[in-house]
Amino acid sequence: MKRIIIFSKKVAVFLLSAACTVFSAFAQDTVQKIPSYRIEFVRGDLAAKTHSVKEAASVGDCAFVLSAMDFALESHKTLGDDEELNLLAGECVRVFSTGIGLSFDKEISLKLGDAFRTFSSATIKTAVLETLPMFPSAANVSMVNAYVSQKMQDGSPSDAVLVKAVESLKILGNGNSFNILFIADILDVWPELKDTLSDSYGALAKDSEKEILNILSAVPVEKKLVVLDKMNTNPQISKKICGEVAENALSEAIYNVGEDSEISSEQIALQLLSLSTIAQTKWTRAAKLATDSFSAIRMEYEKNLVTAQEFAMAITNIAAVATSDTGQVLSSYLDFLNKSTEQNKAPVEAVVLSVINALGGLGDKSAFDYLLYVTYLDYPETVTTAAREALAKLKW
């Protein structure tokens, strides 16, 4: 049997009154738990909203700051580059830069990219670029690459945003970044940024060997000289990379040189610089190529396209990375010089000395007869003395 409870009117009024009191107290308690900066953001103008972001940052409420950035991005469609809206967006970026939202890294990275593309303000763009290394993403690297590349294609002058973009790629960049920065440098697009460009692509070079060699292959010979020089003078670029670039450059420089070939002064300069680099880096992988280049450089010397000093240095550099054939090649050339001396066609002293000193350093006993013969000919005393010293170094 169901039990039926009947309240009097007085009791019913009391219960309803009590329920209203409880609900009112609950609602008031809920309102009190909503942070004041959230209420300020909803009710206030743009200046108040910016202040609320600062307040949220002070208590580490990154989720709220992300929402504030969403608001700024959406409002830009209507307000454009409004000064106070820029201040709001800039404050959001500043908060992200403090690192309080590392647990929201993907969301923040996305918002930073959106802010860079949306706002024209140099202040906001610079702040975004300074913050990107804390929240790296492939999409944002591509965005910065595209920005620098477009500036280069447009011939735009350098400014604070461009400088910061180049600097950010030092940390964030990839092979494409290296290409863009290096090409900007060798083409002298922004002469005033040479040091900044060099510093940034230098940091990327160790992972960009393929890109470097592709650039070397694609550019004309005068730019190949620039490429190799940039490699040699950048302290961040390894000897391995310099050696490999020099090997490829030397190969290209001597490839079509023959008896009837015309060769430019730039091509000769590239040969000499390549040999110098190969010697300095001890790039023995190019040893055979270096020795093979002797005949081409000798021909250029005999045509007065290379000075005696340049030829002498080339011989020294070739010997610095010698193969088993180098001694025989140089011995054969010393034999030629000896015969020329016999015929009263005295060779340049610097050239003879470079050959003799190289043979002494190699210690190849196949040079014995030619070195000994030097001591019987009418050479200057410096030459005969060098020959005796070289003879003493031969390995038996």
Side-chain angles (χ1 to χ4, degrees):
M1 177 178 178
K2 292 184 179 180
R3 186 177 180 185
I4 299 174
I5 301 176
I6 301 175
F7 293 107
S8 67
K9 183 177 180 180
K10 184 177 180 180
V11 172
V13 171
F14 170 78
L15 291 175
L16 179 61
S17 176
C20 289
T21 301
V22 172
F23 178 81
S24 177
F26 175 77
Q28 184 177 1
D29 184 56
T30 301
V31 171
Q32 288 175 350
K33 288 181 179 179
I34 298 175
S36 59
Y37 57 81
R38 288 179 175 260
I39 297 173
E40 180 185 23
F41 189 89
V42 174
R43 293 177 177 175
D45 58 13
L46 287 172
K49 294 182 192 305
T50 301
H51 180 264
S52 70
V53 170
K54 294 179 181 179
E55 291 295 310
S58 68
V59 296
D61 190 350
C62 186
F64 174 79
V65 180
L66 280 167
S67 297
M69 177 59 89
D70 276 333
F71 173 86
L73 291 167
E74 186 64 28
S75 298
H76 187 272
K77 296 176 182 177
T78 304
L79 300 178
D81 286 310
D82 177 84
E83 183 178 352
E84 290 192 344
L85 183 62
N86 285 348
L87 290 175
L88 173 60
E91 182 60 26
C92 291
V93 175
R94 186 199 68 78
V95 173
F96 296 148
S97 72
T98 64
I100 68 169
L102 294 178
S103 59
F104 294 88
D105 57 337
K106 292 182 180 178
E107 294 90 337
I108 292 175
S109 180
L110 182 61
K111 293 294 181 289
L112 289 172
D114 290 341
F116 186 86
R117 286 184 290 267
T118 299
F119 290 91
S120 301
S121 165
T123 301
I124 293 176
K125 287 185 180 295
T126 301
V128 168
L129 290 166
E130 289 176 341
T131 309
L132 282 180
M134 298 179 65
F135 306 95
S137 72
N140 283 341
V141 173
S142 296
M143 175 188 73
V144 181
N145 284 345
Y147 178 81
V148 177
S149 179
Q150 192 61 55
K151 288 286 185 182
M152 179 167 57
Q153 292 175 38
D154 294 343
S156 302
S158 64
D159 55 24
V161 179
L162 179 65
V163 171
K164 190 57 64 177
V166 171
E167 291 175 344
S168 71
L169 289 176
K170 176 182 179 179
I171 303 170
L172 296 169
N174 53 22
N176 287 335
S177 308
F178 178 91
N179 271 343
I180 294 164
L181 299 177
F182 191 55
I183 290 172
D185 192 20
I186 65 174
L187 295 182
D188 214 22
V189 177
W190 298 296
E192 68 279 15
L193 296 187
K194 278 189 174 297
D195 290 344
T196 305
L197 289 165
S198 178
D199 183 52
S200 291
Y201 69 66
L204 304 174
K206 64 180 180 180
D207 298 318
S208 304
E209 290 184 47
K210 179 181 178 182
E211 285 77 11
I212 296 170
L213 295 177
N214 284 341
I215 291 173
L216 179 73
S217 177
V219 297
V221 65
E222 62 271 16
K223 289 302 180 183
K224 294 183 195 298
L225 271 167
V226 177
V227 170
L228 186 52
D229 182 63
K230 295 290 184 184
M231 296 292 104
N232 286 337
T233 56
N234 193 314
Q236 297 185 78
I237 296 178
S238 69
K239 289 184 177 181
K240 176 182 180 298
I241 292 177
C242 290
E244 188 166 2
V245 172
E247 178 185 0
N248 281 265
L250 180 60
S251 178
E252 293 191 31
I254 68 173
Y255 183 69
N256 289 319
V257 177
E259 291 293 334
D260 300 320
S261 300
E262 290 188 8
I263 184 169
S264 67
S265 58
E266 290 87 358
Q267 201 168 357
I268 292 172
L270 184 60
Q271 291 173 4
L272 299 176
L273 180 58
S274 298
L275 282 173
S276 175
T277 303
I278 288 167
Q280 289 175 13
T281 58
K282 302 296 183 184
W283 190 245
T284 55
R285 202 176 79 178
K288 183 180 185 305
L289 178 64
T291 297
D292 290 346
S293 73
F294 175 80
S295 60
I297 298 173
R298 174 184 174 178
M299 179 189 67
E300 291 154 12
Y301 170 62
E302 291 172 350
K303 289 183 176 181
N304 295 317
L305 300 175
V306 169
T307 68
Q309 291 298 328
E310 289 172 333
F311 185 39
M313 183 54 68
I315 291 169
T316 300
N317 290 332
I318 289 169
V321 287
T323 68
S324 57
D325 295 330
T326 308
Q328 295 176 10
V329 170
L330 294 181
S331 293
S332 176
Y333 186 60
L334 182 57
D335 181 38
F336 168 80
L337 296 178
N338 288 343
K339 290 176 180 177
S340 296
T341 302
E342 282 183 317
Q343 299 169 7
N344 295 318
K345 298 177 182 178
V348 175
E349 184 175 336
V351 173
V352 183
L353 284 173
S354 67
V355 177
I356 291 172
N357 291 332
L359 288 170
L362 295 173
D364 189 339
K365 64 183 181 180
S366 65
F368 177 79
D369 290 341
Y370 310 108
L371 289 170
L372 183 62
Y373 196 36
V374 169
T375 63
Y376 297 135
L377 295 173
D378 189 22
Y379 279 113
E381 181 62 28
T382 52
V383 174
T384 55
T385 298
R388 293 188 189 97
E389 292 175 353
L391 283 166
K393 296 177 182 178
L394 297 184
K395 301 170 185 177
W396 298 90

